[in-house]
Amino acid sequence: MIKNVISPEFNEEGRALRRVRSFVRRQGRLTPRQEQALEKQWPIFGIEYQPEPIDFSQVFGRNAPVVLEIGFGMGASLVTMAKNSPENNYFGIEVHAPGVGACLASAQEENISNLRVMCHDAIEVLNHMIPDNSLQMVQLFFPDPWHKARHNKRRIVQVPFAELILTKLAPNGVFHMATDWEPYAEHMLEVMTSVDGYQNLSETQDYVPRPETRPVTKFEQRGHRLGHGVWDLMFKRVK
């Protein structure tokens, strides 16, 4: 779970390929709480990477709408949503082990059973593990904006990514994004508008008010105090 966040790829000569990543791997130290959660809760709620589709009904032990969150950080909002909407199954992907541990610890404390997590590259998981037409919603909250121009190519929201998400959403499923970096919000809007098969749920064809279903995190509250804005985008699959 900790070591294999990225599956290596090699060329015909056997040399490792370098791929553009939307994240930087920061291992960080585990707190005793996080370490204990990984040890005890991962075997129950953790999903190991495998290059083949998974059966959500088997993974969760029931049939229910599946909400996928990519990059859940420390898991505070993900756990809150899972607690507030027990009718849904929540599936979270995060590459940083401390965040996975914190999420599992919080889920245990809240006695939540409708949550599963992975510690792996989300692009690989989407390509190889998530069945097509299987997700009710995909959530991407406050991804790294890579604000320097030379790093913009690392932003996860690009046309190929939006097209991939479209194939994984069920008909009428929704891709919900949020960012506190206005240039990235504009970039997201441009990308999503260019991809055929999505409908912008904004009445003004740009951004939507924060849905009540997205909890306000401590990070976001701090931003509000500092006068930072937050932009939510919601696009529905219509084809």
Side-chain angles (χ1 to χ4, degrees), residues 48-130:
E48 298 288 351
Y49 175 76
Q50 57 185 22
E52 59 186 43
I54 59 176
D55 183 339
F56 281 122
S57 62
Q58 184 177 23
V59 166
F60 286 94
R62 65 172 188 169
N63 288 309
V66 178
V67 177
L68 169 66
E69 182 164 349
I70 296 172
F72 57 74
M74 303 304 280
S77 63
L78 181 59
V79 169
T80 298
M81 287 184 286
K83 179 181 179 181
N84 291 343
S85 301
E87 70 278 7
N88 293 331
N89 290 333
Y90 286 84
F91 192 83
I93 305 174
E94 172 59 54
V95 295
H96 303 300
V100 176
C103 182
L104 288 171
S106 297
Q108 180 186 21
E109 291 162 3
E110 296 291 348
N111 196 29
I112 289 171
S113 61
N114 60 329
L115 174 63
R116 300 292 183 273
V117 297
M118 288 192 68
C119 190
H120 202 83
D121 176 12
I123 302 298
E124 284 193 77
V125 176
L126 284 163
N127 275 316
H128 301 295
M129 291 187 66
I130 306 299

Side-chain angles (χ1 to χ4, degrees), residues 2 19 27 45 57 59 70 74 108 114 150 155 159 167 171 177 196 217 221 231:
I2 302 300
R19 291 175 288 174
Q27 182 61 49
F45 299 110
S57 62
V59 166
I70 296 172
M74 303 304 280
Q108 180 186 21
N114 60 329
R150 68 177 184 271
R155 289 173 172 172
V159 169
T167 67
M177 295 151 280
D196 186 44
T217 64
Q221 290 173 342
W231 293 265

Side-chain angles (χ1 to χ4, degrees), residues 204-217:
T204 53
Q205 294 304 295
D206 46 18
Y207 312 110
V208 299
R210 180 186 64 84
E212 293 183 0
T213 54
R214 182 175 73 77
V216 179
T217 64

Side-chain angles (χ1 to χ4, degrees), residues 75-76 80 158 161:
T80 298
Q158 307 288 354
F161 178 74

Side-chain angles (χ1 to χ4, degrees), residues 15-72:
R15 295 181 179 178
L17 297 173
R18 296 186 64 184
R19 291 175 288 174
V20 175
R21 292 286 170 185
S22 62
F23 60 88
V24 175
R25 186 84 195 282
R26 299 182 298 273
Q27 182 61 49
R29 290 188 177 183
L30 296 169
T31 66
R33 174 175 176 265
Q34 294 164 359
E35 190 170 8
Q36 184 179 47
L38 285 171
E39 178 182 351
K40 295 185 177 181
Q41 300 303 312
W42 177 264
I44 303 172
F45 299 110
I47 305 296
E48 298 288 351
Y49 175 76
Q50 57 185 22
E52 59 186 43
I54 59 176
D55 183 339
F56 281 122
S57 62
Q58 184 177 23
V59 166
F60 286 94
R62 65 172 188 169
N63 288 309
V66 178
V67 177
L68 169 66
E69 182 164 349
I70 296 172
F72 57 74

Side-chain angles (χ1 to χ4, degrees), residues 137-208:
M137 179 172 285
V138 175
Q139 300 176 162
L140 181 69
F141 299 153
F142 306 103
D144 194 325
W146 294 103
H147 57 276
K148 293 182 179 180
R150 68 177 184 271
H151 292 155
N152 285 177
K153 64 183 179 181
R154 292 183 175 272
R155 289 173 172 172
I156 191 171
V157 179
Q158 307 288 354
V159 169
F161 178 74
E163 292 174 340
L164 176 60
I165 295 296
L166 185 68
T167 67
K168 303 305 174 180
L169 287 170
N172 297 316
V174 174
F175 184 18
H176 180 190
M177 295 151 280
T179 180
D180 62 342
W181 186 258
E182 189 173 11
Y184 197 10
E186 294 169 350
H187 170 82
M188 290 176 171
L189 182 61
E190 181 181 356
V191 167
M192 295 302 299
T193 302
S194 74
V195 177
D196 186 44
Y198 283 110
Q199 175 188 337
N200 192 341
L201 296 183
S202 166
E203 294 182 356
T204 53
Q205 294 304 295
D206 46 18
Y207 312 110
V208 299

